[in-house]
C-alpha cells in the first residue's frame, strides 16, 4: 500500500486511457464483453495503481499481493490495467483473442505475465483467494488476496461455499469485490434471478461489508484501505457500478454484455472519453 | 497373504511426507476419518484444513494453496469430489496447471453396503480425459506409500485413487515405483494381463493358476494409467499378441479403455476387458460386489482362455 494520498485526477486519466484500450480491444476482436469491463475498470485501476504490493517487472515476486478476476469475461479490463502497470506493452493489447497470443479471451496464468490464475468458468475465484490467503497466513506474511466477482456470478453455488470458508477461517486478508452492475447476459439480474438483499446475505455469512459507488475513485480507494485495516473477518466491497460506464450509448444497456463496438461506435466512444 | 488397507497406507505415508516436506498441506471435506487424513491432522494440525462438505470449494482452495507455493493434497470421496468438482478440477487445477493432488477415496466397491451412490466406478475415466492430469492407482499398501512420495515430488496436477478395504500385498519394498513406468510383475509368453489396484492381485492369482495348465501369462502392474507407459505395454503385446485388462472400475474410459485406444490405433490385437460393464453397483459386501460385477480371478482366467482359443 502506498503511503501518500493518490493523485485522483491522474488516476482518473489512467482509467479513461484504460477505457479507450478496452474499447479498442473489443472493437478489434469484435467481442470480449465491453460492458462488464467498463463497470469494473475504475476498481481495477485503483487496486493495481494504488493498493496492491506488486512488482510488474517481476510478476512472480513471492511477496506479491494477489488479484483474481473471477468474472473472467472482463479480461480486457485486466489486460488494460496490466498494460498500464507495465506487465505488458500497450501495443500487445491488439493481440487480444488472437490464436497463440499471450492475451486469450479469458484469463490464463500460463499465458499472461501478471495473471495468477485461469478463470472463465464462473464461480471459482473466491475459493482460490481463500487458498492463497490461508497459505499466506501459514507463512506468516502480510500478503492479501483480492478477488473480483460478478453480480450474476453470485448465482454459482461455489461462491457461497467459499463465503463460509473465508468467514470460518477468519480470512481478513481476503477482500472480495462485487461488480454490482445489475445486468447479466440474459437481461436485468432482478428479472433473471434476484439476489435479494445482497448486503444482508454477506453480513449473515459473517463478512465485513462496505458499500460504495464503484466509479468514485476516492470511495474505492478508501474502501480498500478500510478493508485492509479490518481484522478478524473477510471484507466484501459491494461496488455499485454501471455496465458500460463512460460511454453514453453503452451505459446500462444489456446489449453491450458481450458485443464489441463497430468502427463508428468506437470512434464515437473514444471521442466521449477524450 | 498379508493385507493392508490402501487408505491406511495413505494416511501413514502422509505423516511421513509431512515430516520431510513442510510445503505439504492436507485438505479434507468432512471425511477425515474415512480418508485417514486425521492422522496427518493430529501430527500437523496447522497444516490440516477441513473445508466441510464443499467439494467445489475444496478443489479451488487447493489451487489457491498451490499458487501460494504449497503442495495441497485434496481429499474426499472419489465420486463426490470428482463429480461435484469436475469443472473446478478442469479449470482451476488442470487448465491452470496447478500443483494440486486430487485424492479420491472409497473407490470402486470399497463402500460396499452403502450402495450405488457411494460406489465410484467412473473416476479414472473422469480424470483421464483432462489435459495435464496424471492418474495413479497403486496396486497395494506398499506401493501406495511410494506413490504418495512420488506425487509430492512431481510438480503438476495428479489424481490418486485410494481404496478402503484391506487388499493383498503383492509388491515388495524394494520394487522401484516410478510415475509413468509400468512394472512387469511376472513374465510370460502367451497373453498379457494389464491390471491396476486390487485387480493386480487377482491377475497374479490367475497367472499362477493358468501356469499349472501350461499357459504362460505376462502380468503388468499399470499403477499409472495416465500417462501410459506405451513402451512397456507395446513390448509385451508384440510378444504375446493378446491382452486382458483388469480394473475395479468401468471399462468405459478406464484402464481397459486406455489400453484399447492405444492398441486399436497402433497394434490391433484381441482384447478382453475385466471391469464394470456400464452399470451401477448394488448394496452388498465388497466380495459380493466383486462377484456380481465379474471382478474375479475366475473371470480373468476365462478371458485369457478365450484369447488362447482364438490363436
Amino acid at each position: 500500500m502506498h503511503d501518500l494520498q493518490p493523485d485522483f485526477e491522474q488516476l482518473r486519466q489512467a482509467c479513461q486511457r484504460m477505457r479507450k484500450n478496452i474499447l479498442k480491444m473489443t472493437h478489434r476482436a469484435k467481442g470480449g464483453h465491453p460492458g462488464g469491463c467498463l463497470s469494473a475498470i475504475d476498481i481495477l485501476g485503483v487496486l493495481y495503481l494504488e493498493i496492491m504490493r506488486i512488482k510488474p517487472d517481476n510478476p512472480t515476486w513471492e511477496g506479491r499481493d494477489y488479484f483474481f478476476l473471477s468474472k473472467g469475461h472482463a479480461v480486457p479490463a485486466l489486460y488494460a490495467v496490466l498494460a498500464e502497470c507495465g506487465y505488458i506493452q500497450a501495443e500487445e493489447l491488439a493481440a487480444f483473442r488472437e490464436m497463440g497470443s499471450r492475451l486469450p479471451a479469458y484469463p490464463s496464468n500460463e499465458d499472461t505475465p501478471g495473471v495468477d490464475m485461469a478463470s472463465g468458468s464462473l464461480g471459482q475465484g473466491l475459493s482460490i483467494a481463500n487458498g492463497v490467503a490461508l497459505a499466506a497466513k501459514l507463512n506468516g506474511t502480510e500478503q492479501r488476496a483480492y478477488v473480483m466477482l460478478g453480480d450474476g456470478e453470485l448465482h454459482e453455488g461455489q461462491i457461497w461455499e467459499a463465503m463460509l470458508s473465508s468467514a470460518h477461517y477468519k480470512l481478513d486478508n481476503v477482500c472480495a469485490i462485487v461488480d454490482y452492475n445489475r445486468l447479466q447476459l440474459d437481461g436485468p439480474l432482478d428479472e433473471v434471478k434476484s439476489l435479494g438483499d445482497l448486503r444482508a446475505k454477506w453480513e449473515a455469512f459473517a463478512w465485513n461489508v462496505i458499500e460504495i459507488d464503484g466509479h468514485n475513485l476516492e470511495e474505492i480507494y478508501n474502501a480498500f484501505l478500510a478493508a485492509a485495516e479490518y481484522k478478524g473477518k473477510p471484507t466484501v466491497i459491494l461496488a455499485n457500478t454501471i455496465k458500460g460506464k463512460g460511454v453514453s450509448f453503452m451505459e446500462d444497456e444489456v446489449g453491450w454484455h458481450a458485443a464489441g463496438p463497430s468502427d463508428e461506435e468506437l470512434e464515437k466512444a473514444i471521442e466521449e472519453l477524450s | 497373504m498379508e493385507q493392508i488397507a490402501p487408505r491406511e497406507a495413505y494416511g501413514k505415508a502422509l505423516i511421513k511426507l509431512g515430516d520431510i516436506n513442510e510445503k505439504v498441506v492436507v485438505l479434507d471435506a468432512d471425511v477425515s476419518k474415512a480418508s485417514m487424513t486425521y492422522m496427518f491432522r493430529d501430527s500437523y494440525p496447522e497444516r490440516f484444513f477441513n473445508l466441510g462438505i464443499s467439494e467445489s470449494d475444496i478443489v479451488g482452495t487447493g489451487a489457491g494453496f498451490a499458487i501460494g507455493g504449497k503442495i495441497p493434497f485434496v481429499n474426499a470421496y472419489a465420486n463426490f469430489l470428482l463429480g461435484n468438482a469436475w469443472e473446478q478440477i478442469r479449470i482451476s487445477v488442470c487448465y491452470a496447471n496447478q500443483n494440486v493432488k486430487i485424492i479420491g477415496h472409497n473407490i470402486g466397491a470399497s463402500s460396499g453396503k452403502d450402495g450405488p451412490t457411494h460406489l465410484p466406478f467412473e473416476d479414472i475415466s473422469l480424470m483421464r480425459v483432462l489435459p495435464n492430469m496424471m492418474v495413479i492407482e497403486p496396486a497395494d499398501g506398499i506401493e501406495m506409500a511410494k506413490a504418495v512420495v512420488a506425487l509430492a515430488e512431481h510438480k503438476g496436477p495428479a489424481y490418486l485413487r485410494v481404496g478402503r478395504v484391506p487388499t493383498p500385498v503383492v509388491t515388495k519394498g524394494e520394487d522401484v515405483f516410478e510415475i509413468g513406468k509400468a512394472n512387469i510383475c511376472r513374465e510370460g509368453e502367451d497373453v498379457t494381463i494389464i491390471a491396476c489396484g486390487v485387480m493386480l492381485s487377482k491377475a497374479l492369482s490367475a497367472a499362477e493358476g493358468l501356469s499349472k495348465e501350461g499357459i504362460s501369462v505376462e502380468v503388468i502392474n499399470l499403477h499409472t494409467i495416465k500417462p501410459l507407459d506405451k513402451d512397456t505395454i507395446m513390448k509385451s503385446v508384440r510378444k504375446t499378441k493378446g491382452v486382458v485388462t483388469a480394473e475395479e472400475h468401468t471399462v468405459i474410459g478406464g484402464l481397459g479403455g486406455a489400453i484399447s485406444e492405444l492398441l486399436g490405433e497402433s497394434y490391433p490385437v484381441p482384447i478382453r476387458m475385466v471391469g464394470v460393464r456400464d452399470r451401477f453397483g448394488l448394496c452388498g459386501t465388497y466380495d459380493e460386489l466383486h462377484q456380481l460385477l465379474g471382478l474375479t480371478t475366475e473371470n480373468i482366467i476365462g478371458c485369457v482362455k478365450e484369447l488362447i482359443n482364438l490363436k
Side-chain angles (χ1 to χ4, degrees):
Chain A
M1 224 134 328
H2 304 198
D3 296 332
L4 295 171
Q5 270 287 100
D7 180 335
F8 286 107
E9 177 49 29
Q10 225 172 51
L11 204 49
R12 193 193 66 80
Q13 286 172 15
C15 289
Q16 294 302 80
R17 240 188 337 267
M18 293 190 279
R19 281 194 158 82
K20 288 180 198 166
N21 279 331
I22 288 165
L23 292 161
K24 285 180 196 162
M25 272 184 269
T26 52
H27 161 260
R28 196 175 179 284
K30 298 186 172 65
H33 308 91
C37 292
L38 296 174
S39 65
I41 193 63
D42 294 318
I43 299 160
L44 289 187
V46 173
L47 195 52
Y48 270 85
L49 299 173
E50 298 295 340
I51 298 291
M52 286 204 298
R53 290 158 297 196
I54 47 176
K55 293 184 178 174
D57 55 350
N58 182 11
T60 56
W61 169 50
E62 280 194 7
R64 70 192 180 280
D65 287 335
Y66 297 91
F67 174 74
F68 305 109
L69 184 65
S70 196
K71 49 169 281 186
H73 53 278
V75 76
L78 181 58
Y79 295 154
V81 79
L82 290 178
E84 190 69 29
C85 293
Y87 286 94
I88 53 176
Q89 298 299 308
E91 298 78 58
E92 192 173 351
L93 296 176
F96 172 54
R97 285 195 172 217
E98 291 296 317
M99 185 184 267
S101 89
R102 300 200 298 176
L103 308 181
Y106 290 86
S108 167
N109 53 303
E110 292 274 274
D111 292 309
T112 317
V115 173
D116 270 319
M117 189 55 180
S119 61
S121 181
L122 292 171
Q124 301 190 19
L126 184 53
S127 303
I128 310 288
N130 287 343
V132 88
L134 282 164
K137 291 228 175 210
L138 203 49
N139 291 337
T141 71
E142 297 291 311
Q143 288 164 285
R144 295 180 56 74
Y146 297 91
V147 55
M148 178 176 272
L149 310 168
D151 49 4
E153 184 184 11
L154 299 183
H155 289 160
E156 292 280 3
Q158 185 186 353
I159 298 283
W160 302 84
E161 294 180 8
M163 280 162 70
L164 289 175
S165 299
S166 330
H168 179 81
Y169 285 100
K170 300 183 171 54
L171 297 178
D172 48 20
N173 52 350
V174 165
C175 178
I177 308 110
V178 177
D179 180 8
Y180 205 177
N181 62 36
R182 293 179 169 76
L183 288 178
Q184 59 188 115
L185 185 53
D186 266 351
L189 190 88
D190 278 334
E191 285 176 23
V192 176
K193 187 160 81 175
S194 174
L195 295 171
D197 187 342
L198 190 55
R199 182 186 186 106
K201 286 184 170 72
W202 284 89
E203 282 172 348
F205 276 66
W207 281 63
N208 174 41
V209 183
I210 302 174
E211 208 167 338
I212 59 164
D213 169 354
H215 300 300
N216 181 322
L217 300 179
E218 212 161 336
E219 272 191 42
I220 298 169
Y221 179 76
N222 289 331
F224 281 126
L225 291 193
E229 280 162 20
Y230 196 94
K231 298 298 168 201
K233 279 182 184 182
T235 292
V236 60
I237 298 173
L238 298 181
N240 292 300
T241 55
I242 295 167
K243 208 155 181 169
K245 173 71 178 178
V247 179
S248 60
F249 56 91
M250 288 186 169
E251 285 192 6
D252 221 15
E253 288 291 332
V254 75
W256 292 103
H257 175 85
S262 67
D263 294 351
E264 299 74 41
E265 287 161 340
L266 176 69
E267 202 177 323
K268 187 160 179 281
I270 297 282
E271 204 174 301
E272 284 188 23
L273 291 165
S274 297
Chain B
M1 193 179 281
E2 189 197 354
Q3 302 220 334
I4 299 177
R7 64 171 178 165
E8 197 178 340
Y10 170 74
K12 287 178 177 166
L14 267 190
I15 296 178
K16 280 193 187 163
L17 184 64
D19 186 36
I20 58 174
N21 192 334
E22 63 178 23
K23 288 183 179 170
V24 171
V25 294
V26 174
L27 285 68
D28 202 297
D30 194 38
V31 293
S32 63
K33 291 188 191 80
S35 66
M36 295 202 165
T37 60
Y38 73 88
M39 297 195 276
F40 184 94
R41 178 199 64 201
D42 292 348
S43 302
Y44 312 101
E46 73 289 353
R47 282 192 273 153
F48 176 85
F49 301 88
N50 199 331
L51 271 291
I53 310 164
S54 317
E55 288 81 11
S56 303
D57 184 39
I58 198 176
V59 169
T61 308
F65 267 113
I67 295 169
K70 303 296 178 190
I71 306 175
F73 280 64
V74 173
N75 299 268
Y77 289 172
N79 44 320
F80 304 137
L81 183 58
L82 311 190
N84 282 317
W86 187 81
E87 175 66 359
Q88 285 74 17
I89 297 173
R90 176 172 173 264
I91 299 302
S92 290
V93 177
C94 290
Y95 176 56
N97 208 11
Q98 299 295 358
N99 191 20
V100 178
K101 316 306 170 187
I102 303 288
I103 318 296
H105 290 272
N106 283 14
I107 54 93
S110 285
S111 294
K113 292 237 170 184
D114 280 337
T117 55
H118 285 59
L119 301 176
F121 292 114
E122 307 87 7
D123 51 310
I124 294 176
S125 314
L126 285 173
M127 292 298 98
R128 255 194 76 219
V129 295
L130 294 173
N132 293 339
M133 183 55 98
M134 168 180 284
V135 179
I136 294 174
E137 182 178 9
D140 60 18
I142 289 185
E143 198 164 80
M144 177 63 73
K146 296 174 190 168
V148 169
V149 174
L151 231 58
E153 284 170 358
H154 164 81
K155 195 166 186 212
Y159 173 59
L160 179 69
R161 210 173 184 238
V162 182
R164 178 188 186 96
V165 177
T167 56
V169 172
V170 293
T171 68
K172 295 184 186 67
E174 63 266 29
D175 292 346
V176 174
F177 177 87
E178 190 184 328
I179 291 174
K181 185 87 186 83
N183 294 359
I184 295 176
C185 301
R186 182 180 176 119
E187 294 189 359
E189 305 296 324
D190 300 330
V191 169
T192 302
I193 305 177
I194 304 174
C196 63
V198 67
M199 296 309 288
L200 183 69
S201 65
K202 301 192 185 194
L204 288 166
S205 303
E208 185 60 29
L210 286 160
S211 74
K212 289 174 185 142
E213 298 180 43
I215 299 171
S216 164
V217 174
E218 183 142 301
V219 180
I220 296 178
N221 170 8
L222 194 73
H223 49 69
T224 308
I225 297 136
K226 187 184 175 188
L228 265 187
D229 180 358
K230 293 177 187 167
D231 292 346
T232 301
I233 295 165
M234 292 305 294
K235 199 173 162 210
S236 177
V237 176
R238 281 183 206 282
K239 176 173 68 176
T240 60
K241 298 183 171 56
V243 176
V244 175
T245 62
E247 64 200 298
E248 191 189 9
H249 184 270
T250 177
V251 298
I252 304 172
L255 180 148
I259 301 296
S260 300
E261 288 162 17
L262 171 69
L263 298 180
E265 239 179 13
S266 53
Y267 193 71
V269 295
I271 299 179
R272 294 291 180 272
M273 295 187 284
V274 172
V276 178
R277 293 280 171 171
D278 197 19
R279 61 161 297 173
F280 290 105
L282 286 177
C283 297
T285 65
Y286 186 71
D287 291 337
E288 281 172 345
L289 281 164
H290 273 232
Q291 206 68 39
L292 174 81
L293 300 168
L295 309 177
T296 62
T297 301
E298 295 70 35
N299 196 12
I300 296 174
I301 289 175
C303 287
V304 170
K305 286 184 174 171
E306 266 185 56
L307 294 184
I308 298 285
N309 289 336
L310 286 177
K311 286 193 174 181

